[in-house]
Amino acid sequence: MPSTESRLTSEAPSVVTVGAELLTDTLTAQGAPVHPVDFRPPLAGDGVDDALVDVLADPRRAEANETALNRVLGVRPRLVDVRPASEFLGLRPGTFYHAGPPIAWKDASGPLRGALIGAMLFEGLAQSPEEAEKALAEGAATLEPCHHHGGVGPMAGVVSPSMWVFVLRDEADPERYSWCSLNEGLGKVLRYGAYGPEVVERLRWMSSVLGPVLRDAVRARGPIDLGTILAQMLHMGDEAHNRNRAGTLMLLRDLLPNLVAGDHPAEDLAEVMRFVGGNDHFFLNLAMPALKLMLDAGRDVPGSSLVVAMARNGTEFGIQVSGTGDQWFTGPAQYPEGLFLGSYGPDDANPDIGDSAITETGGMGGFVMAAAPAIVRLVGGDAAFAMDATQNMYEITNDDHPLFQLPILDFRGSPTGIDVAKVVSTGILPQINTGMAGRVPGTGQVGAGLVTPPAECFTKAIRALGEAAEAP
Amino acid sequence: MTTDTANGDIAVRVYPGTYRDSVSLMLLSREVATMDGVADALVGMGTAVNLQSFTEMGAPVPSDVAENDLIVAVQAADPAVREAAFARAEAGDATRPTGATGGGERRARSVRTAARVPGQAPASLALVSVPGPHAAGVALEALNEGLDVMVFSDNVPLKHEIALKRTAERLGRLVMGPDCGTAVLQGACLGFANVTRPGTVGVVAASGTGAQHLMSLLDAAHVGVSHCLGVGGRDLSEEVGASSAVRALDILDADPQTDRIVVISKPPAPAAAERLTAHAATLSKPVHTILLGTQGQDITSAVEEVLHAQGVAVPEWPQWAPGSPGGRSARSGALRGLYCGGTLAEEALLVVEAELGAVSSNLGKRAAESETPHRVVDFGADEFTQGRPHPMIDPMPREEQLRAELLDEDCAVVLLDVVLGHGAHPDPASGVAAVVRDGRALGSTTPVIVSLCGTQDDPQDLTRQAETLQAAGAEVYVSNAAAARRAARLAAGKD
């Protein structure tokens, strides 16, 4: 029997008003404390209102979401090793992992095709781009999402057996791991769909020099606490998606003694330090698997509407949700809005691509724009826009992160734990910072900007959650 | 960034992503439509219902508008007038962008954010008046946030209401509504409610104007109300099973300010009535139940019983007769009831039927218009409020009907209600009085009987409203039953 003591009769009402202004004005005129909501209709779609009610009335909901998010927040991501994908993942020649939800060659966009062509060349499975393309078109390769193997890949996200990957483990539960490829830098790079000789040459150096040097340094040093680095990055102007400058330098600082003390030739070490220090995005490939490791811990809680992955394959945007297992909810990937490099323009851009939206899924990237005012111009905004973007994300997330804090918001924690129901009910879509790949295979990066998922990812997810909901 | 289209003298402007509530827009629509030189105008969001209205108007609305887009359509021969009309719509605050980007004060976009203002006590109640299909989602969010909820919205699907109330039961919260128009908490009026003196009578209401009338009569007898908890018109249906009413009874039973409880409702489903009655019997405080139409009692006589039980003398219920002759009907004939308040109309119908026999009405199953000259209309019913504000806010449609009835030779008496209080029109009597005066100027002697629901402390001032009506030649009663009885006797030729 619920308690019958009620604030309704014991306290003067303090009222949240949602809807007609007349009713708000009536209360204001009486001097009552009133808190109006700037209401907008929920995301539109058949059955969405009904599904939203079923999900919000699911008696498991509050506890399920708390459980899922607490598991996410309990993860302590550590960089523990650097290894070839063939060894660590058992990846065999002819199989490639890629970003986003599952996709076949015939549906793949330019950058994904370009990256697969480059990976074929890199693995020696083809001698020319034409030969590689023909073999891929004939189904010579097996394509599987990184996400299905516990990892993530930026942009095209293509991983082949000879590539090296960062290996992360959870200090709290060492059985759990995640991984990500090593970052190649900017411009003409495989992940943006470029596959020219300089691209393949760089990949060879990364496998023969960068990977082993980093492996030995990491093993010598012992696990590196990536959560602490992420927390500090937010105090140093990084948002861990489009800006990773501070994170990269902190990583280098942590590894330097062991790099220098190791057995590798001085010229290799100098080249490694030049490469890592000159690549402001190097840490992105650690931020991503760190958040992947955290979010995977939140999977498979029945009744939870927590988003555990957002990823794009260049054709489709897909999300996965804690309460609905491994099901992807997809819609057509959108075109980012932002700035273009050199003479590139909007016609040169490919739709949104990459697993890097895992950063936003975990409350970084576009969600903490307020912490990274230095990049708002890159993505076409101003400082006020950055503040507003972050404030909006609190409307669709379930909690403030206890460690990742934003000084500009009086150290409020980052908006963490995207809730499908909140996205649907407010109509606010997650804000994603992203790079833009060229539409034509082989082009590389053409710009950077902002993008949101298509609304149908969330309307499809709410319907699935609604069908799985328990009756109130 | 707006889009303009035109079709002859009809111009359309679309403001993308500019959501405004429908009541504001309907009032603004009328404001723009009545500008000099404007033949027609419509301001609304791009909802399916509104798009139909725009099509009927002949407005060329682009096919890609969304529910979040604000549309202004103006029909005027003069292009300058059309521009002026757009300017008026924008000045009417309809199109000002809110907090989409940068600057300005942030407005909460969710109940959670609004309820948690840093440095202030968390909010205790959410008042939800969004379009019906979206209302339960917002209300559930509020319940999950730990708030009690009043849902003013109508057209909420029944299954949503059931989900909402099961959740409230699980969380130990109260859901007032859906379709709850009236509540009073600690003297604060929510929705349509009158300013009554503080007191010890707690009210549980499945009827909006019924509760307003009840509280106003108590106030006239110098008896105050502790709280009025609305539960929504469907709470006492079989499907909902008195869920909110039972919770509201418990709340009032536990409230130290309340020492007597009155439940007012239209006829409930038998199972819900049984649950309610059985539960009431377990309470520590006396409970009076006014179930309109089931016990042959009217609200006034029920209030008198409450007063007796309270040991308070029943007062002479205030009434104001016209200063000039006209209190006696020239002839017997048709009674025409024109009501804003649904429960008041229902009560009037029962009183009039008892005196005159068959009466036609839009309230439930009644006699056909061809079978009887007598008619009682509820202007607050759905068919009158599609795309228009409630007649308690926008009295114009009913005033037009009053004008017609006064000049109708078959009509022997007009009976209508004027409802005061927060939320209602700021001066409803003046509009009615003006129509009555116009009628008198055109030679109409038809008696006009007004049921005036309100209190001395209402923003509109009961006495001033009554005197305005009286001066125009209307008879005014604070007892709706007395007004209806007087009108029925006039129609029967007995007075």
Side-chain angles (χ1 to χ4, degrees):
Chain A
M1 182 84 194
S3 157
T4 49
E5 289 169 25
S6 174
R7 277 186 295 165
L8 285 176
T9 52
S10 62
E11 298 170 13
S14 169
V15 187
V16 172
T17 56
V18 198
E21 282 177 25
L22 177 76
L23 299 180
T24 307
D25 296 346
T26 297
L27 280 165
T28 308
Q30 296 174 68
V34 183
H35 314 283
V37 171
D38 186 9
F39 172 79
R40 319 283 167 89
L43 294 178
D46 288 340
V48 167
D49 284 314
D50 290 347
L52 189 58
V53 166
D54 289 342
V55 171
L56 292 174
D58 187 337
R60 302 170 301 175
R61 174 181 159 75
E63 197 184 330
N65 277 339
E66 198 179 333
T67 299
L69 192 57
N70 281 342
R71 287 182 188 169
V72 171
L73 299 176
V75 172
R76 296 284 171 265
R78 301 287 196 268
L79 169 63
V80 297
D81 207 352
V82 187
R83 294 177 67 188
S86 56
E87 285 178 21
F88 180 64
L89 298 169
L91 189 57
R92 299 273 74 90
T95 297
F96 300 101
Y97 296 162
H98 64 83
I103 190 167
W105 170 265
K106 67 177 171 55
D107 301 317
S109 67
L112 178 53
R113 289 185 172 203
L116 288 167
I117 290 167
M120 290 281 282
L121 296 171
F122 172 56
E123 294 291 342
L125 297 171
Q127 298 313 310
S128 71
E130 294 73 24
E131 193 188 319
E133 187 166 355
K134 188 163 174 288
L136 287 161
E138 286 168 357
T142 303
L143 305 182
E144 291 176 12
C146 296
H147 267 292
H148 291 190
H149 296 274
V152 276
M155 301 308 285
V158 169
V159 178
S160 67
S162 306
M163 292 179 190
W164 286 55
V165 296
F166 290 121
V167 178
L168 280 65
R169 289 196 186 272
D170 177 8
E171 191 192 35
D173 177 5
E175 290 299 301
R176 298 186 350 87
Y177 66 87
S178 69
W179 54 266
C180 184
S181 54
L182 310 186
N183 193 288
E184 317 159 69
L186 286 172
K188 290 219 180 286
V189 287
L190 188 85
R191 72 177 188 281
Y192 278 93
Y195 53 76
E198 75 277 24
V199 174
V200 175
E201 190 52 41
R202 188 186 303 109
L203 290 173
R204 294 224 162 90
W205 175 80
M206 289 171 71
S207 290
S208 60
V209 178
L210 180 65
V213 168
L214 289 175
R215 174 196 59 201
D216 293 345
V218 168
R219 285 181 179 179
R221 187 199 178 280
I224 295 176
D225 180 354
L226 297 176
T228 304
I229 295 182
L230 283 166
Q232 292 177 73
M233 286 164 71
L234 294 183
H235 294 193
M236 300 167 79
D238 281 358
E239 39 72 281
H241 188 169
N242 265 15
R243 186 176 156 103
N244 285 280
R245 184 170 290 191
T248 299
L249 294 175
M250 279 189 280
L251 174 74
L252 203 54
R253 181 190 65 177
D254 276 2
L255 288 177
L256 262 178
N258 300 101
L259 282 169
V260 173
D263 299 330
H264 291 275
E267 61 265 33
D268 281 356
L269 293 178
E271 191 53 32
V272 164
M273 290 180 216
R274 196 176 295 124
F275 181 80
V276 174
N279 174 5
D280 288 342
H281 282 68
F282 196 77
F283 192 83
L284 173 63
N285 293 40
L286 285 165
M288 287 172 56
L291 291 153
K292 166 73 175 165
L293 188 64
M294 295 170 73
L295 288 158
D296 272 1
R299 285 179 180 261
D300 300 322
V301 180
S304 169
S305 50
L306 177 78
V307 178
V308 292
M310 297 195 291
R312 319 81 108 196
N313 57 32
T315 303
E316 283 190 312
F317 195 117
I319 68 168
Q320 292 178 307
V321 180
S322 178
T324 52
D326 292 333
Q327 196 176 348
W328 287 97
F329 303 101
T330 61
Q334 313 286 298
Y335 286 92
E337 285 184 25
L339 296 183
F340 292 88
L341 303 173
S343 60
Y344 290 120
D347 293 344
D348 300 311
N350 193 75
D352 193 21
I353 185 169
D355 285 336
S356 56
I358 195 74
T359 55
E360 279 81 9
T361 320
M364 304 294 272
F367 281 46
V368 288
M369 280 284 272
I375 65 154
V376 295
R377 286 193 171 163
L378 175 68
V379 293
D382 56 19
F385 172 85
M387 292 289 282
D388 224 54
T390 294
Q391 294 282 14
N392 266 333
M393 294 305 100
Y394 286 110
E395 300 284 19
I396 59 169
T397 48
N398 278 336
D399 212 345
D400 302 352
H401 198 289
L403 299 178
F404 302 159
Q405 297 173 341
L406 289 84
I408 190 84
L409 296 178
D410 284 333
F411 296 89
R412 183 172 182 185
S414 58
T416 306
I418 302 170
D419 185 336
V420 172
K422 289 184 173 176
V423 172
V424 171
S425 66
T426 60
I428 298 174
L429 293 167
Q431 175 75 63
I432 295 166
N433 293 348
T434 192
M436 275 186 267
R439 187 171 52 79
V440 177
T443 306
Q445 185 177 15
V446 298
L450 301 174
V451 74
T452 58
E456 56 252 59
C457 294
F458 295 91
T459 54
K460 285 176 181 173
I462 199 81
R463 280 196 289 263
L465 287 164
E467 279 166 24
E470 282 185 4
Chain B
M1 221 180 345
T2 60
T3 319
D4 284 20
T5 50
N7 173 20
D9 59 356
I10 306 180
V12 172
R13 189 166 288 177
V14 177
Y15 302 81
T18 310
Y19 183 83
R20 291 292 175 274
D21 79 76
S22 58
V23 176
S24 310
L25 293 183
M26 288 184 285
L27 292 171
L28 188 64
S29 233
R30 218 186 83 192
E31 192 184 318
V32 176
T34 52
M35 287 170 68
D36 280 346
V38 173
D40 199 2
L42 203 50
V43 185
M45 304 306 300
T47 59
V49 173
N50 286 347
L51 291 179
Q52 185 64 36
S53 306
F54 282 108
T55 304
E56 283 162 14
M57 181 188 168
V61 175
S63 58
D64 61 346
V65 295
E67 200 180 341
N68 249 330
D69 298 343
L70 177 73
I71 305 163
V72 181
V74 179
Q75 181 173 16
D78 183 349
V81 170
R82 294 201 290 267
E83 270 313 308
F86 284 132
R88 173 76 66 93
E90 291 182 17
D93 207 21
T95 60
R96 184 175 48 83
T98 51
T101 53
E105 194 187 333
R106 249 203 95 68
R107 290 190 64 187
R109 288 283 299 274
S110 64
V111 172
R112 182 178 68 152
T113 306
R116 300 179 182 184
V117 180
Q120 292 184 28
S124 55
L125 177 75
L127 171 51
V128 179
S129 55
V130 305
H134 308 322
V138 177
L140 282 164
E141 191 197 343
L143 286 178
N144 289 334
E145 183 60 25
L147 307 184
D148 295 289
V149 187
M150 171 169 168
V151 182
F152 185 88
S153 316
D154 55 7
N155 295 313
V156 175
L158 179 63
K159 61 179 177 177
H160 288 194
E161 177 168 349
I162 292 169
L164 192 53
K165 292 190 170 174
R166 295 293 166 268
T167 303
E169 285 168 13
R170 179 167 60 79
L171 299 173
R173 297 282 162 205
L174 177 67
V175 173
M176 298 187 273
D179 199 12
C180 173
T182 300
V184 178
L185 298 167
Q186 301 271 346
C189 297
L190 292 106
F192 298 121
N194 304 92
V195 182
T196 57
R197 73 193 69 230
T200 58
V201 176
V203 178
V204 175
S207 147
T209 47
Q212 286 190 269
H213 191 34
L214 166 70
M215 289 189 286
S216 295
L217 289 175
L218 288 173
D219 191 74
H222 302 277
V223 170
V225 166
S226 56
H227 314 279
C228 171
L229 305 178
V231 295
R234 234 171 15 199
D235 192 65
L236 299 178
S237 66
E238 192 172 335
E239 295 86 347
V240 182
S243 169
S244 291
V246 164
R247 170 82 188 148
L249 284 174
D250 285 341
I251 290 171
L252 292 177
D253 198 41
D255 170 40
Q257 292 172 65
T258 301
D259 58 22
R260 181 175 298 280
I261 301 170
V262 182
V263 180
I264 181 163
S265 166
K266 293 176 205 175
E274 204 169 297
R275 181 170 180 223
L276 184 72
T277 314
H279 191 76
T282 67
L283 302 186
S284 64
K285 296 172 185 174
V287 179
H288 302 258
T289 311
I290 306 176
L291 301 176
L292 209 58
T294 51
Q295 301 153 324
Q297 69 180 162
D298 56 55
I299 296 171
T300 306
S301 58
V303 167
E304 290 171 356
E305 281 179 27
V306 173
L307 294 174
H308 281 305
Q310 189 96 329
V312 174
V314 175
E316 289 283 322
W317 299 115
Q319 61 185 67
W320 293 261
S324 55
R328 172 166 289 273
S329 182
R331 60 191 193 286
S332 62
L335 178 147
R336 300 286 154 75
L338 313 177
Y339 272 82
C340 299
T343 303
L344 296 179
E346 191 91 45
E347 183 187 38
L349 191 55
L350 295 169
V351 170
V352 171
E353 277 174 335
E355 181 72 41
L356 298 176
V359 178
S360 74
S361 173
N362 61 339
L363 287 158
K365 283 192 186 130
R366 301 289 173 179
E369 278 193 35
S370 57
E371 293 166 5
T372 169
H374 309 299
R375 188 162 64 234
V376 172
V377 180
D378 173 17
F379 280 81
D382 288 348
E383 63 265 33
F384 293 105
T385 54
Q386 286 284 356
R388 296 205 72 117
H390 193 275
M392 275 157 63
I393 301 170
D394 176 7
M396 197 190 242
R398 190 180 68 154
E399 286 171 11
E400 289 310 312
Q401 188 61 33
L402 173 60
R403 196 179 298 278
E405 299 292 359
L406 289 176
L407 300 177
D408 182 344
E409 288 185 357
D410 295 337
C411 174
V413 58
V414 182
L415 169 66
L416 57 88
D417 61 345
V418 168
V419 183
L420 311 181
H422 286 293
H425 190 280
D427 184 13
S430 289
V432 172
V435 174
V436 174
R437 273 196 305 273
D438 289 352
R440 296 286 181 262
L442 291 169
S444 167
T445 57
T446 311
V448 176
I449 312 300
V450 177
S451 158
L452 180 60
C453 178
T455 69
Q456 298 298 349
D457 292 325
D458 278 334
Q460 297 92 343
D461 187 336
L462 180 78
T463 303
R464 196 163 49 82
Q465 292 284 308
E467 286 170 358
T468 301
L469 292 161
Q470 181 191 27
E475 278 178 46
V476 183
Y477 298 82
V478 297
S479 161
N480 185 53
R485 213 165 282 125
R486 164 70 173 159
R489 290 180 64 81
L490 284 167
K494 291 183 181 170
D495 273 358

